[in-house]
mmCIF file of all heavy atoms in Angstrom:
data_model
loop_
_atom_site.group_PDB
_atom_site.id
_atom_site.type_symbol
_atom_site.label_atom_id
_atom_site.label_comp_id
_atom_site.label_asym_id
_atom_site.label_seq_id
_atom_site.Cartn_x
_atom_site.Cartn_y
_atom_site.Cartn_z
ATOM 1 N N PRO B 51 11.651 6.925 10.707
ATOM 2 C CA PRO B 51 12.500 5.848 10.246
ATOM 3 C C PRO B 51 11.849 4.511 10.433
ATOM 4 O O PRO B 51 11.459 4.189 11.557
ATOM 5 C CB PRO B 51 13.802 6.016 10.978
ATOM 6 C CG PRO B 51 13.480 6.842 12.204
ATOM 7 C CD PRO B 51 12.367 7.647 11.834
ATOM 8 N N TYR B 52 11.694 3.710 9.441
ATOM 9 C CA TYR B 52 11.126 2.411 9.580
ATOM 10 C C TYR B 52 12.088 1.510 10.300
ATOM 11 O O TYR B 52 13.269 1.684 10.260
ATOM 12 C CB TYR B 52 10.725 1.851 8.222
ATOM 13 C CG TYR B 52 9.739 2.535 7.460
ATOM 14 C CD1 TYR B 52 9.369 2.201 6.117
ATOM 15 C CD2 TYR B 52 9.132 3.695 7.873
ATOM 16 C CE1 TYR B 52 8.434 2.868 5.422
ATOM 17 C CE2 TYR B 52 8.225 4.435 7.227
ATOM 18 C CZ TYR B 52 7.798 3.999 5.973
ATOM 19 O OH TYR B 52 6.914 4.650 5.287
ATOM 20 N N ALA B 53 11.530 0.591 10.950
ATOM 21 C CA ALA B 53 12.350 -0.478 11.682
ATOM 22 C C ALA B 53 13.334 -1.085 10.715
ATOM 23 O O ALA B 53 13.042 -1.414 9.605
ATOM 24 C CB ALA B 53 11.444 -1.528 12.381
ATOM 25 N N ASP B 54 14.499 -1.299 11.268
ATOM 26 C CA ASP B 54 15.561 -1.792 10.402
ATOM 27 C C ASP B 54 16.322 -2.778 11.266
ATOM 28 O O ASP B 54 16.595 -2.664 12.430
ATOM 29 C CB ASP B 54 16.519 -0.743 9.970
ATOM 30 C CG ASP B 54 17.294 -1.147 8.746
ATOM 31 O OD1 ASP B 54 17.258 -2.266 8.411
ATOM 32 O OD2 ASP B 54 17.949 -0.214 8.180
ATOM 33 N N GLN B 55 16.733 -3.842 10.560
ATOM 34 C CA GLN B 55 17.521 -4.863 11.343
ATOM 35 C C GLN B 55 18.976 -4.549 11.451
ATOM 36 O O GLN B 55 19.641 -4.935 12.437
ATOM 37 C CB GLN B 55 17.288 -6.241 10.561
ATOM 38 C CG GLN B 55 15.846 -6.729 10.796
ATOM 39 C CD GLN B 55 15.736 -8.042 10.000
ATOM 40 O OE1 GLN B 55 15.798 -9.138 10.505
ATOM 41 N NE2 GLN B 55 15.430 -7.912 8.743
ATOM 42 N N ARG B 56 19.464 -3.860 10.443
ATOM 43 C CA ARG B 56 20.856 -3.424 10.524
ATOM 44 C C ARG B 56 20.911 -2.283 11.507
ATOM 45 O O ARG B 56 20.250 -1.332 11.455
ATOM 46 C CB ARG B 56 21.288 -3.002 9.206
ATOM 47 C CG ARG B 56 21.169 -4.070 8.072
ATOM 48 C CD ARG B 56 21.281 -3.407 6.726
ATOM 49 N NE ARG B 56 20.259 -2.385 6.515
ATOM 50 C CZ ARG B 56 20.135 -1.770 5.385
ATOM 51 N NH1 ARG B 56 20.916 -1.990 4.378
ATOM 52 N NH2 ARG B 56 19.110 -0.844 5.182
ATOM 53 N N ASN B 57 21.782 -2.350 12.421
ATOM 54 C CA ASN B 57 21.844 -1.371 13.444
ATOM 55 C C ASN B 57 22.847 -0.180 13.096
ATOM 56 O O ASN B 57 23.134 0.640 13.849
ATOM 57 C CB ASN B 57 22.239 -1.920 14.777
ATOM 58 C CG ASN B 57 21.083 -2.430 15.532
ATOM 59 O OD1 ASN B 57 19.932 -2.243 15.177
ATOM 60 N ND2 ASN B 57 21.291 -3.110 16.703
ATOM 61 N N LYS B 58 23.196 -0.210 11.799
ATOM 62 C CA LYS B 58 24.275 0.749 11.403
ATOM 63 C C LYS B 58 23.575 2.113 10.946
ATOM 64 O O LYS B 58 23.922 3.152 11.250
ATOM 65 C CB LYS B 58 25.158 0.221 10.408
ATOM 66 C CG LYS B 58 26.127 -0.865 10.981
ATOM 67 C CD LYS B 58 26.956 -1.393 9.872
ATOM 68 C CE LYS B 58 27.936 -2.501 10.354
ATOM 69 N NZ LYS B 58 28.666 -3.157 9.277
ATOM 70 N N THR B 59 22.569 1.837 10.065
ATOM 71 C CA THR B 59 22.082 2.912 9.413
ATOM 72 C C THR B 59 21.258 3.991 10.224
ATOM 73 O O THR B 59 21.107 3.722 11.420
ATOM 74 C CB THR B 59 21.203 2.490 8.217
ATOM 75 O OG1 THR B 59 20.202 1.557 8.695
ATOM 76 C CG2 THR B 59 21.993 1.843 7.118
ATOM 77 N N TYR B 60 20.691 4.910 9.581
ATOM 78 C CA TYR B 60 19.885 5.991 10.078
ATOM 79 C C TYR B 60 19.006 5.530 11.293
ATOM 80 O O TYR B 60 17.963 5.000 11.127
ATOM 81 C CB TYR B 60 19.009 6.452 8.977
ATOM 82 C CG TYR B 60 18.085 7.586 9.412
ATOM 83 C CD1 TYR B 60 18.475 8.599 10.129
ATOM 84 C CD2 TYR B 60 16.763 7.645 8.902
ATOM 85 C CE1 TYR B 60 17.709 9.644 10.468
ATOM 86 C CE2 TYR B 60 15.917 8.699 9.135
ATOM 87 C CZ TYR B 60 16.394 9.662 9.956
ATOM 88 O OH TYR B 60 15.565 10.786 10.252
ATOM 89 N N GLY B 61 19.506 5.756 12.525
ATOM 90 C CA GLY B 61 18.765 5.596 13.757
ATOM 91 C C GLY B 61 18.215 4.129 13.844
ATOM 92 O O GLY B 61 17.242 3.933 14.488
ATOM 93 N N GLY B 62 18.898 3.245 13.115
ATOM 94 C CA GLY B 62 18.319 1.841 13.036
ATOM 95 C C GLY B 62 17.685 1.366 14.348
ATOM 96 O O GLY B 62 18.349 1.146 15.388
ATOM 97 N N VAL B 63 16.389 1.123 14.385
ATOM 98 C CA VAL B 63 15.680 0.616 15.458
ATOM 99 C C VAL B 63 15.248 -0.816 15.075
ATOM 100 O O VAL B 63 14.617 -1.068 14.065
ATOM 101 C CB VAL B 63 14.422 1.472 15.766
ATOM 102 C CG1 VAL B 63 13.674 0.901 16.969
ATOM 103 C CG2 VAL B 63 14.792 2.853 15.985
ATOM 104 N N HIS B 64 15.524 -1.739 15.968
ATOM 105 C CA HIS B 64 15.069 -2.992 15.679
ATOM 106 C C HIS B 64 13.578 -3.233 15.782
ATOM 107 O O HIS B 64 12.953 -2.634 16.673
ATOM 108 C CB HIS B 64 15.766 -4.010 16.682
ATOM 109 C CG HIS B 64 15.685 -5.445 16.211
ATOM 110 N ND1 HIS B 64 14.640 -6.318 16.521
ATOM 111 C CD2 HIS B 64 16.582 -6.244 15.701
ATOM 112 C CE1 HIS B 64 14.827 -7.501 16.095
ATOM 113 N NE2 HIS B 64 16.066 -7.477 15.497
ATOM 114 N N PRO B 65 12.993 -4.091 14.932
ATOM 115 C CA PRO B 65 11.554 -4.262 14.893
ATOM 116 C C PRO B 65 11.029 -4.607 16.370
ATOM 117 O O PRO B 65 9.990 -4.011 16.738
ATOM 118 C CB PRO B 65 11.339 -5.406 14.015
ATOM 119 C CG PRO B 65 12.439 -5.356 13.089
ATOM 120 C CD PRO B 65 13.582 -4.821 13.803
ATOM 121 N N ASP B 66 11.733 -5.380 17.151
ATOM 122 C CA ASP B 66 11.280 -5.759 18.406
ATOM 123 C C ASP B 66 11.220 -4.549 19.404
ATOM 124 O O ASP B 66 10.457 -4.529 20.457
ATOM 125 C CB ASP B 66 12.171 -6.838 18.996
ATOM 126 C CG ASP B 66 12.048 -8.073 18.258
ATOM 127 O OD1 ASP B 66 11.111 -8.299 17.455
ATOM 128 O OD2 ASP B 66 13.072 -8.953 18.314
ATOM 129 N N ASP B 67 12.071 -3.528 19.035
ATOM 130 C CA ASP B 67 12.128 -2.404 19.986
ATOM 131 C C ASP B 67 11.409 -1.172 19.548
ATOM 132 O O ASP B 67 11.296 -0.118 20.222
ATOM 133 C CB ASP B 67 13.616 -1.931 20.198
ATOM 134 C CG ASP B 67 14.459 -3.107 20.577
ATOM 135 O OD1 ASP B 67 14.030 -4.021 21.285
ATOM 136 O OD2 ASP B 67 15.693 -3.113 20.189
ATOM 137 N N TYR B 68 10.693 -1.408 18.394
ATOM 138 C CA TYR B 68 10.182 -0.226 17.747
ATOM 139 C C TYR B 68 9.081 0.475 18.480
ATOM 140 O O TYR B 68 9.021 1.727 18.695
ATOM 141 C CB TYR B 68 9.580 -0.622 16.332
ATOM 142 C CG TYR B 68 9.478 0.648 15.403
ATOM 143 C CD1 TYR B 68 10.486 1.016 14.593
ATOM 144 C CD2 TYR B 68 8.222 1.318 15.330
ATOM 145 C CE1 TYR B 68 10.378 2.090 13.824
ATOM 146 C CE2 TYR B 68 8.125 2.370 14.433
ATOM 147 C CZ TYR B 68 9.130 2.749 13.723
ATOM 148 O OH TYR B 68 9.017 3.885 12.919
ATOM 149 N N VAL B 69 8.096 -0.328 19.040
ATOM 150 C CA VAL B 69 7.010 0.290 19.793
ATOM 151 C C VAL B 69 7.523 1.029 20.990
ATOM 152 O O VAL B 69 7.141 2.171 21.256
ATOM 153 C CB VAL B 69 6.073 -0.729 20.205
ATOM 154 C CG1 VAL B 69 4.905 -0.208 21.055
ATOM 155 C CG2 VAL B 69 5.409 -1.390 18.984
ATOM 156 N N ASP B 70 8.422 0.469 21.774
ATOM 157 C CA ASP B 70 8.981 1.048 23.005
ATOM 158 C C ASP B 70 9.760 2.365 22.555
ATOM 159 O O ASP B 70 9.713 3.336 23.322
ATOM 160 C CB ASP B 70 9.928 0.129 23.727
ATOM 161 C CG ASP B 70 9.122 -0.981 24.368
ATOM 162 O OD1 ASP B 70 7.953 -0.746 24.646
ATOM 163 O OD2 ASP B 70 9.769 -2.075 24.691
ATOM 164 N N TRP B 71 10.281 2.355 21.437
ATOM 165 C CA TRP B 71 11.086 3.525 20.999
ATOM 166 C C TRP B 71 10.114 4.678 20.566
ATOM 167 O O TRP B 71 10.377 5.811 20.952
ATOM 168 C CB TRP B 71 11.969 3.110 19.801
ATOM 169 C CG TRP B 71 12.543 4.377 19.082
ATOM 170 C CD1 TRP B 71 13.580 5.121 19.527
ATOM 171 C CD2 TRP B 71 12.078 4.950 17.869
ATOM 172 N NE1 TRP B 71 13.795 6.146 18.611
ATOM 173 C CE2 TRP B 71 12.925 6.075 17.610
ATOM 174 C CE3 TRP B 71 11.095 4.605 17.036
ATOM 175 C CZ2 TRP B 71 12.769 6.863 16.491
ATOM 176 C CZ3 TRP B 71 10.937 5.402 15.834
ATOM 177 C CH2 TRP B 71 11.740 6.507 15.572
#
Side-chain angles (χ1 to χ4, degrees):
Chain B
Y52 295 179
D54 202 349
Q55 293 177 93
R56 304 165 298 184
N57 274 354
K58 289 177 182 177
T59 52
Y60 182 40
V63 182
H64 195 278
D66 296 340
D67 307 327
Y68 200 86
V69 174
D70 287 338
W71 168 77

